[in-house]
Amino acid sequence: MSLQHAILTALLEKPSSGLELARRFDRSIGYFWSATHQQIYRELGKLESAGLIRELPVSQPARGQRKAYEVLPAGRDELAAWVRRSEDPRPLRDPLGLRLRAAAMVGTEGLAAEVQRHLALHRKQLAEFEAIEARDFPADGSGDALQHLVLRGGIEMETFWIKWLTEAAERLPEG
Amino acid sequence: MSLQHAILTALLEKPSSGLELARRFDRSIGYFWSATHQQIYRELGKLESAGLIRELPVSQPARGQRKAYEVLPAGRDELAAWVRRSEDPRPLRDPLGLRLRAAAMVGTEGLAAEVQRHLALHRKQLAEFEAIEARDFPADGSGDALQHLVLRGGIEMETFWIKWLTEAAERLPEG
DNA sequence: CTCGCTTATGCAACTTGTTGCACAAGCGAG
DNA sequence: CTCGCTTGTGCAACAAGTTGCATAAGCGAG
């Protein structure tokens, strides 16, 4: 049910339409949970049926107006209860590690290039996170500490990938 | 399709029955991909239908004999092709990061304890990985380099979690 | 021997995530 | 104006992963 709670969090931060949510998931919220627009629309529908959110009434319903949603008290309660619940970490799922292992059986052809490609992707992501950190969390300690912590998680995760992939690149042939 | 390829890899390393596979997934292969026995049985069925694996013929089919599978040439080919394919990393999915963010909206009550619990889990996992490393990959450089690399990935991943969760513990109230 | 425990295999139903497409409205260029 | 492009919303089908249960065989204690 994590996706529903992610949506509730995002809507509490700021009432939004489906597409706005999808965009915000591509950025901040997405460090630890990604979602496509279809998933988001589906869950918005469920959340509305469940009485946890509602369409934000608009003063002048002009044509082409996008639907925006806001969180109802029941939604806030549910989110608060979820934060207090206990939930185990999900096991890691990454195909590249698997492919390295498979390569031990069937040969490493092409893997060095793939590792380089992943390295570039992770370096790019890290640069983006660091740019966000510099912009939103200056050294003076302004900005929300919890949100900064989450961003730090994203940064350290990417740092891990870069470190490990660099090791991998050194150990693979045909660099 | 990663699970099917994980199974092919495992069967190439050693022909096994469904439950043996499930156990091995809990350990080595599972660093980067986990699976329940139900998933494994289902995929074994599909792989067999697709002609990529077959039941290992046994000399004396005693009662209670467990079915074991071995990889056919077509299966090896498919695995080799997969290793050569290009595939993007999957986005991270972890509910705890999400909950920290949600806590910025609805309060951090109970989170410090949860962070401690996760810390303990990750420390335990790290200790297990390090024990395996000490056992299977002594300093003299014996042992398969690729498999060692994959294990290093698991170790560094857990190290990341511990570092980040420690940061989180320091920043959360009511420790 | 038989009762309960463990091991091994598997089905069915459900939830979650992905892919591909459909449709409508606004917008800008020709 | 109108054609094609982009934006926003959404359905349907599928693939992947999870949960709960059903079944059967071996095994060891009483």
Side-chain angles (χ1 to χ4, degrees):
Chain A
M1 312 289 298
S2 293
L3 180 51
Q4 294 197 1
H5 297 107
I7 291 176
L8 286 174
T9 305
L11 288 181
L12 273 177
E13 289 172 7
K14 180 177 178 323
S16 307
S17 69
L19 202 67
E20 279 173 309
L21 282 175
R23 282 207 242 280
R24 291 170 59 200
F25 267 76
D26 280 345
R27 307 195 288 114
S28 47
I29 325 249
Y31 309 152
F32 285 93
W33 208 276
S34 69
T36 63
H37 67 113
Q38 287 88 346
Q39 283 174 275
I40 289 169
Y41 282 124
R42 183 167 54 184
E43 297 307 319
L44 280 173
K46 287 188 197 168
L47 286 167
E48 191 173 24
S49 312
L52 302 187
I53 64 175
R54 67 163 181 184
E55 260 181 68
L56 197 59
V58 277
S59 41
Q60 37 132 27
R63 330 168 279 160
Q65 184 84 39
R66 292 156 296 142
K67 273 194 265 186
Y69 292 90
E70 67 177 350
V71 179
L72 294 171
R76 176 183 283 266
D77 292 348
E78 167 52 34
L79 188 63
W82 177 68
V83 168
R84 271 181 255 112
R85 272 206 284 281
S86 187
E87 186 169 355
D88 281 345
R90 333 191 110 213
L92 171 60
R93 280 237 164 83
D94 185 86
L96 186 54
L98 229 46
R99 288 205 277 166
L100 285 173
R101 178 123 188 178
M105 291 290 112
V106 298
T108 59
E109 196 199 333
L111 260 188
E114 181 72 350
V115 166
Q116 288 301 329
R117 197 176 69 86
H118 281 234
L119 252 179
L121 288 171
H122 286 291
R123 279 204 248 262
K124 182 150 169 279
Q125 183 66 73
L126 177 59
E128 277 173 34
F129 283 169
E130 286 179 334
I132 294 172
E133 186 180 38
R135 173 163 53 78
D136 293 352
F137 303 99
D140 65 3
S142 66
D144 185 283
L146 283 172
Q147 291 192 10
H148 191 189
L149 188 57
V150 175
L151 178 57
R152 291 295 317 162
I155 288 174
E156 283 163 27
M157 170 65 81
E158 294 303 328
T159 304
F160 148 73
W161 282 114
I162 290 166
K163 176 173 182 229
W164 180 60
L165 289 171
T166 302
E167 265 179 68
E170 283 165 10
R171 272 163 188 69
L172 279 172
E174 52 166 343
Chain B
M1 311 290 299
S2 293
L3 180 50
Q4 294 198 1
H5 296 107
I7 290 176
L8 287 173
T9 304
L11 288 181
L12 273 177
E13 289 171 8
K14 179 176 179 323
S16 307
S17 69
L19 202 67
E20 277 173 311
L21 282 175
R23 282 207 242 278
R24 292 170 59 201
F25 267 78
D26 280 347
R27 307 194 290 113
S28 47
I29 326 243
Y31 309 154
F32 284 93
W33 207 276
S34 68
T36 63
H37 68 112
Q38 288 87 347
Q39 282 175 275
I40 288 169
Y41 283 123
R42 182 167 55 186
E43 297 307 321
L44 280 173
K46 287 189 199 168
L47 286 167
E48 191 172 25
S49 311
L52 302 187
I53 64 175
R54 68 164 179 181
E55 260 181 69
L56 197 60
V58 277
S59 42
Q60 39 131 24
R63 338 166 271 162
Q65 184 85 39
R66 290 155 298 143
K67 274 193 265 188
Y69 292 90
E70 67 177 350
V71 179
L72 294 170
R76 177 182 281 268
D77 292 348
E78 166 53 34
L79 189 62
W82 177 67
V83 168
R84 271 182 253 110
R85 271 206 282 284
S86 185
E87 186 168 357
D88 281 345
R90 332 192 108 214
L92 170 61
R93 280 237 163 84
D94 185 83
L96 186 55
L98 227 48
R99 288 204 278 164
L100 284 174
R101 177 122 187 178
M105 291 290 112
V106 299
T108 58
E109 197 199 332
L111 261 187
E114 181 73 349
V115 166
Q116 289 301 329
R117 197 176 69 86
H118 281 235
L119 251 179
L121 288 172
H122 286 292
R123 280 203 250 261
K124 183 151 168 279
Q125 183 66 75
L126 177 60
E128 278 173 33
F129 284 168
E130 285 179 335
I132 294 171
E133 186 181 36
R135 173 163 53 77
D136 293 352
F137 303 99
D140 64 6
S142 65
D144 185 284
L146 283 173
Q147 290 192 11
H148 191 187
L149 188 57
V150 175
L151 178 57
R152 291 296 316 162
I155 289 174
E156 284 164 27
M157 171 65 85
E158 294 303 329
T159 304
F160 148 73
W161 281 114
I162 291 166
K163 176 172 181 229
W164 181 60
L165 289 171
T166 303
E167 264 180 69
E170 284 165 9
R171 273 165 187 66
L172 280 172
E174 55 167 337

